[in-house]
C-alpha cells in the first residue's frame, strides 16, 4: 500500500507544489489548511493549525481515512515585516502562534501515530532566515529559528522510536508568500526609509527566486531517505551563504547582511 504524507499549508506555495509532487509519485496525500479542497490524489482536511483542537480533530479524521502517517511536512506559515519598534504585540504573537506553536500542535498530533506504527519522518519547513536573521523581518526570522532549533531537539527525543526529524531551510522562493506578507511601514521616516528599502529588496529577491517545485522535489527526496541530517538548506547559492555565515567572523557576516537589507 502507498505511503501516506500529511502536508500543512498545502493549498498554495511550497505546500501546493509538495502535494502535487507526492501525489504524482504515488503517495496518498492528506493536505491540511483553512481554505483548501480535495484535488486529484489529494484529500483536504480543514484546520487552523494555531487551534490545537482543530488540529487534533483533523488528525483523527486522517487516521480514520488512511490508517497511518508515514511522513509529516510542517509547511504552513506566513510572514510579517517591519521595524521591531513599530510592530504590534498582536502581530508578533500571531507570527509565533502560527509559524512555531502551530507547527508544535501538528507535530504533537502526529507523534503518537508515528510512535505506535513504529516510525516515520517529520520535515519542518524553516527558512534561511533562521540561520541568517534578516533586519525588518526580526519576528519572522525568530519564528523560523525556533522551528530549526525545535527540529534539532525533537530529532534526539524521538530517535529511539524510529522517527526521523529534519528542518528544511529554503532560500528565496517565488510564490504568493510575498503578496501575503503582512508588512508595516510605520516608522519608515524615523528609520530614514530603510524599512521600505529593505522590504523592497526582500520582495525583489523572492520574486526572482527559485520555483516552489525545487523545494517540493527536495522534500520528496528527503521523505524517501532512511537517515536524515538535522538541517538541510535548499538551493546551492543559499547553501554557500549559510556556510559563509557559519565560517565568517560574526561581525563580517552582520556587515554583509546590513549592506543587503539594512543600508
Amino acid at each position: 500500500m502507498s505511503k501516506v504524507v500529511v502536508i500543512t499549508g498545502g493549498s498554495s506555495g511550497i505546500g501546493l507544489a509538495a502535494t502535487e509532487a507526492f501525489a504524482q509519485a504515488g503517495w496518498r496525500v492528506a493536505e491540511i489548511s483553512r481554505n483548501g479542497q480535495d484535488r486529484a490524489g489529494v484529500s483536504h482536511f480543514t484546520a487552523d493549525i494555531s487551534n490545537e483542537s482543530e488540529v487534533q480533530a483533523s488528525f483523527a479524521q486522517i487516521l480514520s481515512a488512511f490508517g497511518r502517517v508515514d511522513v509529516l511536512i510542517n509547511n504552513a506559515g506566513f510572514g510579517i515585516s517591519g521595524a521591531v519598534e513599530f510592530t504590534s504585540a498582536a502581530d508578533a504573537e500571531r507570527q509565533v502562534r502560527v509559524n512555531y506553536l502551530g507547527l508544535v500542535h501538528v507535530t504533537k498530533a502526529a507523534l503518537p501515530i508515528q510512535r505506535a506504527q513504529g516510525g516515520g519522518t517529520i520535515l519542518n519547513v524553516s527558512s534561511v532566515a533562521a540561520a541568517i536573521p534578516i533586519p525588518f523581518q526580526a519576528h519572522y526570522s525568530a519564528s523560523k529559528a525556533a522551528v530549526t532549533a525545535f527540529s534539532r531537539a525533537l530529532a534526539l527525543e524521538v530517535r529511539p522510536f524510529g522517527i526521523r526529524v529534519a528542518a528544511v531551510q529554503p532560500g528565496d522562493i517565488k510564490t504568493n508568500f510575498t503578496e501575503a506578507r503582512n508588512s508595516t511601514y510605520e516608522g519608515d521616516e524615523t528609520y530614514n526609509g530603510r524599512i521600505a528599502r529593505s522590504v523592497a529588496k526582500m520582495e525583489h529577491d523572492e520574486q526572482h527566486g527559485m520555483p516552489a517545485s525545487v523545494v517540493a522535489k527536495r522534500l520528496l527526496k528527503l521523505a524517501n531517505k532512511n537517515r536524515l541530517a538535522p538541517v538541510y538548506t535548499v538551493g546551492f547559492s543559499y547553501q554557500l551563504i549559510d556556510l559563509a555565515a557559519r565560517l565568517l567572523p560574526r561581525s563580517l557576516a552582520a556587515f554583509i547582511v546590513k549592506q543587503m537589507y539594512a543600508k
Side-chain angles (χ1 to χ4, degrees), residues 49-50 76-82 87-103 136-144 147 177 181-182:
I49 65 166
S50 66
F78 77 107
I80 66 174
S81 66
T87 299
S88 71
D91 284 345
E93 288 170 2
R94 180 168 176 260
Q95 180 78 105
V96 174
R97 189 167 64 249
V98 173
N99 287 11
Y100 175 61
L101 293 178
L103 177 145
F136 304 112
Q137 280 200 86
H139 294 300
Y140 175 76
S141 299
S143 72
K144 290 302 186 179
V147 168
F177 183 89
R181 179 182 285 114
N182 181 7

Side-chain angles (χ1 to χ4, degrees), residues 53-125:
S53 62
E54 289 186 13
V55 169
Q56 290 289 342
S58 69
F59 268 85
Q61 294 169 352
I62 290 169
L63 187 59
S64 175
F66 295 102
R68 59 187 298 109
V69 176
D70 295 289
V71 174
L72 167 64
I73 298 178
N74 276 309
N75 164 77
F78 77 107
I80 66 174
S81 66
V84 168
E85 179 182 358
F86 294 100
T87 299
S88 71
D91 284 345
E93 288 170 2
R94 180 168 176 260
Q95 180 78 105
V96 174
R97 189 167 64 249
V98 173
N99 287 11
Y100 175 61
L101 293 178
L103 177 145
V104 173
H105 295 333
V106 176
T107 302
K108 288 178 66 176
L111 281 174
I113 299 171
Q114 293 191 331
R115 183 162 42 78
Q117 70 194 23
T121 297
I122 298 174
L123 300 174
N124 294 324
V125 178

Side-chain angles (χ1 to χ4, degrees), residues 128 132 169 233-248 256:
V128 168
I132 309 169
Q169 300 182 158
T233 299
V234 181
F236 180 70
S237 62
Y238 300 101
Q239 292 171 4
L240 293 179
I241 292 171
D242 184 23
L243 178 63
R246 286 185 278 118
L247 296 179
L248 290 174
I256 293 171

Side-chain angles (χ1 to χ4, degrees), residues 1-195:
M1 186 175 291
S2 300
K3 291 183 177 181
V4 176
V5 60
V6 177
I7 302 173
T8 67
S11 61
S12 62
I14 292 172
L16 175 60
T19 63
E20 293 173 347
F22 277 84
Q24 290 170 7
W27 289 60
R28 292 182 290 165
V29 182
E31 178 268 316
I32 298 176
S33 63
R34 292 177 300 171
N35 303 307
Q37 58 185 2
D38 290 345
R39 305 188 304 275
V42 179
S43 298
H44 167 70
F45 297 85
T46 301
D48 178 344
I49 65 166
S50 66
N51 185 316
E52 188 169 12
S53 62
E54 289 186 13
V55 169
Q56 290 289 342
S58 69
F59 268 85
Q61 294 169 352
I62 290 169
L63 187 59
S64 175
F66 295 102
R68 59 187 298 109
V69 176
D70 295 289
V71 174
L72 167 64
I73 298 178
N74 276 309
N75 164 77
F78 77 107
I80 66 174
S81 66
V84 168
E85 179 182 358
F86 294 100
T87 299
S88 71
D91 284 345
E93 288 170 2
R94 180 168 176 260
Q95 180 78 105
V96 174
R97 189 167 64 249
V98 173
N99 287 11
Y100 175 61
L101 293 178
L103 177 145
V104 173
H105 295 333
V106 176
T107 302
K108 288 178 66 176
L111 281 174
I113 299 171
Q114 293 191 331
R115 183 162 42 78
Q117 70 194 23
T121 297
I122 298 174
L123 300 174
N124 294 324
V125 178
S126 180
S127 169
V128 168
I132 309 169
I134 302 173
F136 304 112
Q137 280 200 86
H139 294 300
Y140 175 76
S141 299
S143 72
K144 290 302 186 179
V147 168
T148 296
F150 171 82
S151 302
R152 295 174 70 102
L154 178 65
L156 299 176
E157 292 185 16
V158 300
R159 182 179 294 173
F161 305 119
I163 300 173
R164 299 169 293 274
V165 183
V168 180
Q169 300 182 158
D172 293 312
I173 308 295
K174 185 177 181 180
T175 67
N176 61 349
F177 183 89
T178 303
E179 289 78 12
R181 179 182 285 114
N182 181 7
S183 299
T184 177
Y185 297 93
E186 184 180 353
D188 197 36
E189 291 184 1
T190 302
Y191 280 76
N192 298 317
R194 292 163 61 230
I195 300 173

Side-chain angles (χ1 to χ4, degrees), residues 172 178 181 198-209:
D172 293 312
T178 303
R181 179 182 285 114
S198 180
V199 173
K201 177 68 166 61
M202 296 171 205
E203 293 181 345
H204 175 273
D205 291 347
E206 289 167 353
Q207 290 307 297
H208 291 80

